[in-house]
Amino acid sequence: MPERPGQAMQKSANKRRATVADVARQAGVSVATVSRVLNAKAGDRNPVAEETCQRVRQAMQTLGYRPSQVGRTLRTQVAHVVALLIPDATNAFYAAIAHATETALRERGYAMILCNTSEDPAIQDEYLREMQAHNVAAIVLLGAVETAELRTAANSDTPIVFLNRRAPQGVPGPFIGIDNAAAGEAVGEHFAERGWARIGCIRGPQTSPASRERFEGFQSALAAAGKPLDPDLVEQGALTIESGDAAMARLLAGGHRPDAVFCGNDLMAYGAHRRLADQGLSVADVALFGFDDNPLNAWLATWLSTVHVPHSQFGRAAAEVIVELANHRGERMERQILLPFHLEVRASA
Amino acid sequence: MPERPGQAMQKSANKRRATVADVARQAGVSVATVSRVLNAKAGDRNPVAEETCQRVRQAMQTLGYRPSQVGRTLRTQVAHVVALLIPDATNAFYAAIAHATETALRERGYAMILCNTSEDPAIQDEYLREMQAHNVAAIVLLGAVETAELRTAANSDTPIVFLNRRAPQGVPGPFIGIDNAAAGEAVGEHFAERGWARIGCIRGPQTSPASRERFEGFQSALAAAGKPLDPDLVEQGALTIESGDAAMARLLAGGHRPDAVFCGNDLMAYGAHRRLADQGLSVADVALFGFDDNPLNAWLATWLSTVHVPHSQFGRAAAEVIVELANHRGERMERQILLPFHLEVRASA
DNA sequence: CTGAAAGCGCTTACAG
DNA sequence: CTGAAAGCGCTTACAG
C-alpha cells in the first residue's frame, strides 16, 4: 500500500470523558440523582426537585457530559442501535430504503448498523448472531433468506422486523411492505383494459414470496378478465438486468412475440428493454411494465411504467414499529403494515 | 398507518443468553479462564492449558455461548464498531465506498454504523458526539465538513479517518484518497496532447480541497504545455447533475463554444451532456471528461471518459488503518494513504 | 425527594 | 497455569 513518508505517531493529550460520577461530584448529588435527571420522563412517580435538576444540568454543561451508550446498554440490556440487514446497499432501491430507515431511526435516537448480506445465507446468519451480541434493539431484515438460524433468531429476545419480503412460513415477526398480490392484480387489470392480445410475463424467482404473490395476482386478474395468461409467454428471471435481458431473448425467440410484458422488477425491465433495442424493437412494439419504481428510473428510464413502492415510507414505518417493540420488550408482536402502492403509468405501457 | 386486523401480542418464551459465568460453571473453571480462552492470542505469556481449553470450548459449544460485545466494550473501552459518516448513501459513488468499507470491516470483526450527514454540519456534529458515546473504534469521515466540533472530536480519544476529502487545515487524522492534484494534471496533459484549441472546465466548489486540487492540477498542466486555461471558460458547479447542466448552459451561452470540457465529477458531466443534447450537440462537438468513475457509468454513461477513483480500495485501506489505530490506541497517527487512480479514456474525450 | 448498593458481562492486573 | 477481585458507566429496586 503506497504511503507518504510523513507518517508519524504522537501521544495525544486527552482528558478522560466525564461520567455520571463526575457530574454527581460536581453537582454535589449522588449518581442515582444524575441518572434520574438523565432519564426524567413526563409522568415520573418520584421526580427530582427542580432546584436539584438545575444544578445537575449545570454540572453536565460544565463538564460537557454525554452519557455512555455502552454503560446504559449493559445495564438495560438493549442498545439504542438497530441493525439493518440488506442484500446490497449499492442497489438503488435498497439504498433508498436504507437511507429512509437511517433518517427515521436517527430522529428517534437510534443509530443504524448496516449489514450487507449479498443474500448469502452464511453472512446473514453470522450477522444475525453478531447483532444479538451487540444487544441491538431490533434487526430489520430486508430480503430475508430462510435458514435455521433465522428461525432461532426470530424466537430470541431480539425482535426481527421483516421488510419488503415477508417472514418465512411459521417464523414470527412483524412485516412492513406492500400487498404484492393486490399490486400484481392491479397490473393485470391494467393489461386487460389496454386490450393487449398477447401478454407475457418475466417473473421473479419462485423462492421469493413477494415475487410469487405479484405473479399470482397478475395471473388471476387476467383470468378474471377472460384473458388467461399463456404459460408459454411466462419466463423467470433473477431480478437482475442480465436476467431480464436473457428472459426477453427467450420470449422473442419463442416465435410469437408478446404485445406487452410485465416484469417482476424494474431491473429486469431495463434488461428486457435493452434486448428489445438490440433487436431493433421498442416499447411501441412490446409494452413493458416494471415493479418497484426504482430511484434509478429518474435517470435511466423515465419512460418505464411501473408499480411505485413507497421506499421512503418503509423507513419511517420500520422505525415506528421498532419504537413500539422497544416499549413492549419480551412480547411478540404479530403485525402487518401494508403501505400504499400505486401504478405509475408512463410511456412504456 | 394502515394495518391488518391480525395484530396480536404474545409473551415469548426465551431463555437468557449464556454468559461467561454460565460457561465457567459448565466447564468447572473460573470466568477468568473462560475469558482467557476467548482472547487467546498466538504469543500469550500465560497460556491456558490445552486440556482446560478443550473443556471450555466444549462448554461454549454446549451452551451456544457468544460473548457479549457490550460487556467487552464497557471493559475495554472500545467497541468492535466503526462509524461511517457519509454525505448521502444513495449516491452511487458513496454507496460503493460504504459497501467496500462494510465488507472490509466485517472481515476484520467490526460492524459498521452508517450515518448520513447530508453534508449538514449540525447532523455531522451530532453524529460525531453520539458515536463517541458508543465508544466506536474509529469514525470514518467521508466528505468532512469543517466545524468546531470536528476539531474537538479530532483531538479526542476516538480516531477519525478522513476519506476522499482531506482533513481541514490543522486538524489531525489520517487521510485515505487519491492525489487529486496529480489526477488533475494527468487530465490536463491528456487535453494538451489531444490538441484541443478551446478548453473549458466545470470545476467543483472552492470549499472542497479535493475539487480545488483537481482544478489546480489541471490548470497547471495546461499552462506547462503552453495552453493556459482561459478564465472565461471556467465555470463552477455543486457536483450535482443539475449544476453541470446549468454550467454547460453558461459555457454555451458565452458565445465561443469550448471544444472540450473537464468536469469536476461525473454527475456534472452527466448534466453537461444532457445540456449538450438539448442543444442538438454531442461529445463529438464538445468532448467531456469526468471524475470519479461513478458506478452509474456502467448503466448511464458507458461513453464517459473519466478519472477512475478506486472506490472499492478505499474500504480496505480504511479498515487496515483502523485496525492499526486500534493497536496503537492513544497515539495520534499522521498518515497519508494515496491510492492509485488512472484515466479511463472512453468515447467522450 | 434522595442516596447507598447491587449488578448488567466482560477483562486484567495481582497472587498464588 | 489458574482464580478472586476490582472495575468499566450506567440504572433501578430498596430504604429512608
Side-chain angles (χ1 to χ4, degrees):
Chain A
M1 182 158 303
E3 71 188 55
R4 276 285 166 82
Q7 174 174 0
M9 293 273 193
Q10 305 172 288
K11 270 277 206 45
S12 64
N14 299 312
K15 35 222 154 292
R16 198 174 48 75
R17 287 179 51 220
T19 70
V20 272
D22 299 317
V23 176
R25 201 174 310 117
Q26 171 87 13
V29 298
S30 72
V31 295
T33 298
V34 175
S35 181
R36 286 196 192 95
V37 172
L38 234 28
N39 300 303
K41 276 187 230 93
D44 264 341
R45 62 268 91 170
N46 50 357
V48 176
E50 183 52 28
E51 195 264 341
T52 314
C53 212
Q54 294 297 340
R55 210 144 29 95
V56 172
R57 285 194 212 291
Q58 177 59 53
M60 289 177 177
Q61 192 89 51
T62 306
L63 299 173
Y65 172 74
R66 181 158 189 129
S68 158
Q69 293 288 354
V70 181
R72 175 204 297 266
T73 300
L74 184 57
R75 176 60 219 234
T76 62
Q77 294 286 66
V78 37
H80 270 52
V81 175
V82 167
L84 176 65
L85 272 63
I86 196 173
D88 172 12
T90 62
N91 174 317
F93 178 66
Y94 295 140
I97 293 177
H99 187 273
T101 304
E102 188 263 351
T103 301
L105 286 172
R106 178 172 57 75
E107 289 168 356
R108 289 165 179 76
Y110 287 83
M112 186 184 86
I113 295 184
L114 183 72
C115 309
N116 288 289
T117 64
S118 309
E119 306 236 21
D120 178 336
I123 298 180
Q124 169 187 290
D125 289 356
E126 173 56 17
Y127 262 133
L128 285 174
R129 279 188 297 266
E130 184 67 1
M131 290 304 110
Q132 293 183 65
H134 281 282
N135 286 33
V136 295
I139 296 173
V140 180
L141 197 34
L142 181 48
V145 176
E146 183 170 356
T147 61
E149 182 61 34
L150 176 56
R151 290 179 184 279
T152 305
N155 286 301
S156 76
D157 283 328
T158 308
I160 300 188
V161 178
F162 293 85
L163 226 59
N164 202 41
R165 195 182 294 175
R166 211 176 279 279
Q169 270 301 330
V171 175
F175 168 73
I176 294 165
I178 67 162
D179 184 336
N180 283 291
E185 277 175 42
V187 176
E189 284 160 13
H190 177 75
F191 273 50
E193 275 170 27
R194 283 295 181 100
W196 284 304
R198 304 189 41 73
I199 291 175
C201 184
I202 301 177
R203 52 161 299 172
Q206 300 272 4
T207 52
S208 158
S211 289
R212 208 166 46 228
E213 289 160 16
R214 290 171 192 182
F215 175 70
E216 288 168 0
F218 180 65
Q219 196 175 33
S220 71
L222 286 178
K227 314 183 137 197
L229 194 56
D230 177 356
D232 287 349
L233 292 180
V234 176
E235 293 289 341
Q236 188 167 325
L239 303 175
T240 61
I241 295 192
E242 293 70 24
S243 68
D245 182 323
M248 179 56 87
R250 292 195 298 275
L251 282 176
L252 295 177
H256 25 232
R257 192 171 89 195
D259 302 320
V261 175
F262 173 38
C263 302
N265 73 352
D266 286 351
L267 295 183
M268 293 201 296
Y270 300 159
H273 179 257
R274 182 195 289 172
R275 173 60 56 155
L276 288 176
D278 282 358
Q279 310 272 43
L281 300 170
S282 78
V283 292
D285 306 301
V286 182
L288 289 178
F289 213 102
F291 206 109
D292 283 349
D293 202 8
N294 194 306
L296 279 187
N297 288 346
W299 295 351
L300 212 49
T302 50
W303 41 266
L304 182 63
S305 292
T306 188
V307 176
H308 177 78
V309 176
H311 18 76
S312 62
Q313 289 181 45
F314 278 30
R316 190 153 28 82
E320 279 168 12
V321 167
I322 287 161
V323 169
E324 191 175 345
L325 283 164
N327 298 333
H328 299 275
R329 194 78 184 178
E331 304 178 59
R332 209 136 277 309
M333 190 169 59
E334 287 310 325
R335 189 162 172 188
Q336 309 280 339
I337 296 187
L338 294 179
L339 297 174
F341 64 85
H342 66 262
L343 302 200
E344 195 69 67
V345 178
R346 296 193 274 236
S348 75
Chain B
M1 183 159 300
E3 69 186 58
R4 277 283 168 80
Q7 174 174 0
M9 292 274 194
Q10 305 173 289
K11 269 276 208 43
S12 65
N14 300 313
K15 33 222 155 298
R16 199 173 48 74
R17 288 179 49 220
T19 72
V20 270
D22 299 318
V23 175
R25 201 173 309 116
Q26 171 87 13
V29 298
S30 72
V31 295
T33 298
V34 175
S35 180
R36 287 198 191 92
V37 172
L38 234 28
N39 300 303
K41 277 187 232 91
D44 264 341
R45 61 263 98 160
N46 49 355
V48 176
E50 182 54 26
E51 195 263 340
T52 314
C53 210
Q54 294 295 340
R55 211 144 29 93
V56 172
R57 285 194 212 289
Q58 176 61 52
M60 289 178 178
Q61 191 90 51
T62 307
L63 299 174
Y65 172 73
R66 180 160 191 126
S68 159
Q69 294 286 356
V70 181
R72 176 203 296 266
T73 300
L74 184 57
R75 176 62 219 232
T76 62
Q77 295 286 64
V78 38
H80 271 53
V81 175
V82 168
L84 176 65
L85 272 61
I86 196 172
D88 172 11
T90 63
N91 174 317
F93 178 67
Y94 295 139
I97 293 176
H99 188 274
T101 305
E102 188 264 350
T103 301
L105 286 172
R106 178 172 58 73
E107 289 167 356
R108 288 163 178 78
Y110 287 83
M112 185 186 86
I113 294 184
L114 182 71
C115 310
N116 288 289
T117 64
S118 310
E119 306 235 24
D120 178 336
I123 298 181
Q124 169 186 288
D125 289 354
E126 173 57 20
Y127 263 132
L128 286 173
R129 279 188 297 264
E130 183 67 3
M131 290 304 107
Q132 293 183 65
H134 281 281
N135 286 32
V136 295
I139 296 173
V140 180
L141 198 35
L142 181 49
V145 176
E146 183 171 355
T147 60
E149 182 61 35
L150 176 58
R151 290 178 185 277
T152 305
N155 286 300
S156 76
D157 283 327
T158 308
I160 299 187
V161 178
F162 293 85
L163 226 59
N164 203 41
R165 196 181 294 174
R166 213 175 278 277
Q169 271 301 330
V171 174
F175 167 73
I176 295 165
I178 67 163
D179 184 336
N180 283 291
E185 278 175 42
V187 177
E189 284 161 12
H190 177 75
F191 272 49
E193 277 170 27
R194 283 297 181 100
W196 285 303
R198 304 190 41 73
I199 292 176
C201 183
I202 302 177
R203 52 161 300 172
Q206 302 271 4
T207 53
S208 158
S211 289
R212 208 168 43 229
E213 289 160 16
R214 290 171 192 183
F215 175 70
E216 288 167 0
F218 180 65
Q219 196 174 33
S220 72
L222 286 178
K227 313 182 137 200
L229 193 55
D230 176 356
D232 287 349
L233 292 180
V234 175
E235 293 289 339
Q236 187 167 327
L239 303 175
T240 62
I241 294 192
E242 294 70 25
S243 68
D245 183 323
M248 180 56 88
R250 291 196 297 276
L251 281 177
L252 295 177
H256 25 231
R257 195 170 87 195
D259 301 321
V261 175
F262 172 37
C263 303
N265 74 352
D266 287 352
L267 295 184
M268 293 201 296
Y270 300 159
H273 179 257
R274 182 195 288 171
R275 172 61 54 159
L276 287 176
D278 282 359
Q279 311 272 44
L281 299 170
S282 78
V283 291
D285 305 300
V286 182
L288 289 177
F289 213 103
F291 206 110
D292 282 347
D293 203 8
N294 193 306
L296 279 186
N297 288 347
W299 295 350
L300 212 49
T302 49
W303 42 266
L304 182 64
S305 290
T306 189
V307 176
H308 178 79
V309 176
H311 15 77
S312 62
Q313 288 181 46
F314 278 31
R316 191 154 29 79
E320 279 169 12
V321 168
I322 287 162
V323 169
E324 190 176 344
L325 283 165
N327 298 333
H328 299 276
R329 194 78 184 177
E331 304 177 60
R332 206 135 284 304
M333 190 168 58
E334 287 310 324
R335 190 162 169 186
Q336 309 279 340
I337 296 187
L338 293 178
L339 297 173
F341 64 86
H342 64 263
L343 301 201
E344 194 70 71
V345 178
R346 297 193 275 237
S348 73

